Structure formats: structure tokens, C-alpha cells
Amino acid sequence: MPDVTKLASPLEVGGVRIRNRVFLAPMSGITDEPFRQRAHAHGAGLVVLEMVASGELAKGRAGSGLRIRHSGLPVHMVQLAGRDAVHMAEGARIAAGEGADIIDINMGCPAKKVTGGYAGSALMRDLDHALSLIEAVVGAVDVPVTVKMRLGWDESALNAPMLARRAEQAGVRMVTVHGRTRCQFYQGKADWRAIARVKQAVSIPVVANGDVGSPAEAALILDQSGADAVMIGRAHYGAPWTAGSIVAAALAEPISGMPDSPQALTDYVIAHYEDMLTLYGVESGLRQARKHLGWYLDRHAVTSDDWRKAILTSFEPGRVIALLRDMFSSAPEAPNLRSAA
């Protein structure tokens, strides 16, 4: 097994210093400013903004500017998605103008609404077109450009090593690889050993992604992939401290800021809820926050269907907060934080 203390060491990407090697993945509709702020405070080395459509950003569509707004963290990393080189270049310039330190290109999203528009992982079906987008972004900005990809479109086209090699030649400074094909979506087990072929194909840092949520899994993915860092996505649902917990384990230190009692967890969840209402406004914030509240309830509370429904359907923030206090504060012992260990 590799020395997992490596995960706590800094990593440089195109001259940008990242404080450690355990990253929060960009997740659409999830890694907004309140979530990123929490993950960073708990110790995540890098937190990536949720995917932004380059066409919407280039055209000034409502909401796109909010997604790339600088949140004051040491490294501001924006992920762009799209299929048009002009829009990708303009989106990159706008992001850089808003203070982006690193710009990531999404070539890994498997969602049909993204791949149906020939963006995300659909770009892995046409590497020449994918490279035209990379070259457009690299040529448009002075900040480092990175790419996130999958192993390929399907098992018959595992072309991540070729895409990574060509991306490096075009000026990309880091690649992240999710150990599944697009056609797998999130089914089955991520193939961590297949990421090793990408690592062997390039000299730039490689980040391994897929099915990591614990220190043991982080150690194993490093061992099997040979990657330089790990990126964690869905394991953060209801546990924004997950990446930080892995860094803390590497340092043999407590997890920074993790709630350690029913009262602390209650305050934590309510503060997250209130921050989302502030960011989006009450009407939109109520809808945006429900998935997060559901994950907190699933992981850390024992609740009836009626109580859960009341929390997740109420349009009154005060009632939601009162119900959350009842749910979490009445727990007989410390919250269930087993998923963060």
C-alpha cells in the first residue's frame, strides 16, 4: 500500500499551489458556494465549482454568473462544459476575468442532457473535436487548464490515455479520470487499475476519481492507479467533511470543524440551510436545499416518513428549522458520522 501521508502534501498545477491532494469533485447543483466553503473549511485541498455551460456564460444567461463568482477561497477553479470552441474560449475568458485560477474542461459528464448536446463525455467519441476545444481554451487564457474525463465512451473505446496524451501536448496541466465509461454512468465498480494507463501516458499530474469515500479507499485507489491525487464526489452527500476526513487521517489529526454532537450537527445543518436561502433567495433556496437536507437526514437522523416529508416539502423556513432541531437534537447519542471515517 502507498504512503497515504502523500495525500496531505501540496501539489502544483501550472504554477498554482494546491494545499493537499484530496479534492472535492464538481457536481452540478451541489458544489455551490455554501458547499464549497464547508468542504474547504474541513480540509479539502481543492474545491471545484459546479459545471457551467460555456454557451450560457458567453451569452450572459441569468444564473451563470452566480455560478462562477469568486467565493474568496485560495484557489478558484471553474469547470466549463460545451461543444463550441468560440463559446468555450469566451467562457474561459469570462471565468478568468472573474478570478479563476484554474479552468477545467468537462469531458466526463455522462448525463443525457449534456451528452445529447455533444458535450461532456460525448466529446470522447471525437478526439479531434475535443482537442479543438482544449486548444481554444488554452489559447484564450493565461491560467492553467485541466480536463476531467472518463475511461471512454464504452468498453470498446477506452481512449482516455490517448485523450490525456493529446491534451498534455496541447498545454493541459492536469487530468482527472473517473474510472468508468460513459455508458456505465455510475453502475458497477469504478476500475481504478484502468486509470494507471492514463498515468503512464502523461507526465502531468493525474487525479483518480470514482467510488472513493474513506481513507482506506483513497489508499487503494492510489495503489492501483498510481495517481498523484484523488477526487471525491458522491461520498460528500450529507457529509461535506468527507475529503477533509481523508486528509485528517493522512495527518493523524482530528477532522477540522466536523460536528461531533447532536447539537453541533443541528447547528451545522441549519447554518448550511440558511446560507443557501441567502445565496439563492428564499423561493429558489427552498428547492435547492431539499436534496442536501434529505442527505443529512438519510445519513444522520432516524426519522419517520411523515417527518421527512414535512421537512422536505415545507415552504416555511422557520418550520423547516424547527423540525430539523427536533430531529437532530433529540438523537440519543452523537450523530452517525461513520461515512466520513
Side-chain angles (χ1 to χ4, degrees):
M1 298 293 282
D3 179 6
V4 293
T5 58
K6 162 186 172 180
L7 291 172
S9 65
L11 178 68
E12 185 172 296
V13 178
V16 177
R17 185 181 186 275
I18 299 169
R19 63 178 179 173
N20 66 57
R21 299 169 184 240
V22 187
F23 304 161
L24 169 68
M27 292 180 282
S28 184
I30 299 168
T31 54
D32 57 14
E33 186 172 317
F35 201 94
R36 296 194 310 273
Q37 291 277 10
R38 283 162 173 78
H40 180 268
H42 294 307
L46 182 66
V47 296
V48 189
L49 280 69
E50 55 185 319
M51 175 182 68
V52 181
S54 60
E56 293 184 4
L57 188 58
K59 295 173 184 177
R61 295 279 173 81
S64 59
L66 180 64
R67 287 191 172 195
I68 66 166
R69 187 175 72 180
H70 203 299
S71 55
L73 299 179
V75 179
H76 186 56
M77 184 170 178
V78 174
Q79 187 187 69
L80 297 178
R83 63 177 181 179
D84 180 86
V86 172
H87 286 161
M88 288 291 285
E90 181 60 20
R93 282 190 286 267
I94 293 169
E98 290 293 324
D101 299 294
I102 302 173
I103 293 174
D104 187 61
I105 301 174
N106 184 317
M107 295 190 177
C109 181
K112 291 180 180 179
K113 67 180 181 180
V114 176
T115 59
Y118 303 103
S121 55
L123 293 168
M124 299 193 74
R125 304 182 78 176
D126 185 347
L127 296 194
D128 288 340
H129 182 57
L131 262 291
S132 74
L133 303 184
I134 291 171
E135 290 166 351
V137 173
V138 170
V141 295
D142 293 327
V143 302
V145 175
T146 64
V147 175
K148 189 171 189 291
M149 64 185 73
R150 288 200 162 213
L151 296 177
W153 178 259
D154 58 27
E155 290 294 328
S156 69
L158 301 177
N159 56 1
M162 183 180 298
L163 174 57
R165 184 165 52 248
R166 293 183 66 181
E168 180 182 19
Q169 292 168 353
V172 161
R173 309 304 290 270
M174 181 176 76
V175 295
T176 299
V177 186
H178 183 111
R180 290 183 174 88
T181 65
R182 183 274 173 181
C183 289
Q184 284 182 272
F185 286 87
Y186 295 99
Q187 301 300 311
K189 184 75 174 68
D191 187 350
W192 297 340
R193 295 185 188 280
I195 299 173
R197 293 194 285 273
V198 178
K199 176 62 181 171
Q200 293 161 5
V202 298
S203 60
I204 55 177
V206 172
V207 184
N209 175 226
D211 296 342
V212 176
S214 70
E217 288 164 344
L220 193 55
I221 198 172
L222 286 181
D223 183 48
Q224 295 187 0
S225 70
D228 302 279
V230 298
M231 180 173 279
I232 303 167
R234 292 171 295 154
H236 282 96
Y237 291 1
W241 48 81
T242 299
S245 73
I246 293 172
V247 178
L251 294 169
E253 295 178 354
I255 304 168
S256 176
M258 188 181 76
D260 58 0
S261 69
Q263 184 59 55
L265 181 62
T266 302
D267 294 341
Y268 185 97
V269 174
I270 290 172
H272 190 174
Y273 179 63
E274 292 177 332
D275 283 352
M276 293 191 72
L277 298 184
T278 299
L279 177 66
Y280 296 109
V282 172
E283 183 178 352
S284 178
L286 282 167
R287 296 193 302 272
Q288 298 277 1
R290 283 172 179 159
K291 55 182 171 287
H292 294 281
L293 295 182
W295 292 325
Y296 284 127
L297 292 171
D298 289 343
R299 284 200 169 194
H300 312 298
V302 178
T303 178
S304 68
D305 290 342
D306 289 343
W307 277 62
R308 180 185 176 85
K309 182 178 179 181
I311 291 171
L312 300 183
T313 60
S314 176
F315 289 94
E316 301 176 21
R319 174 166 168 73
V320 172
I321 289 171
L323 290 169
L324 290 170
R325 290 202 182 280
D326 286 343
M327 285 305 308
F328 289 115
S329 298
S330 61
E333 53 188 36
N336 174 15
L337 301 177
R338 65 186 182 279
S339 57

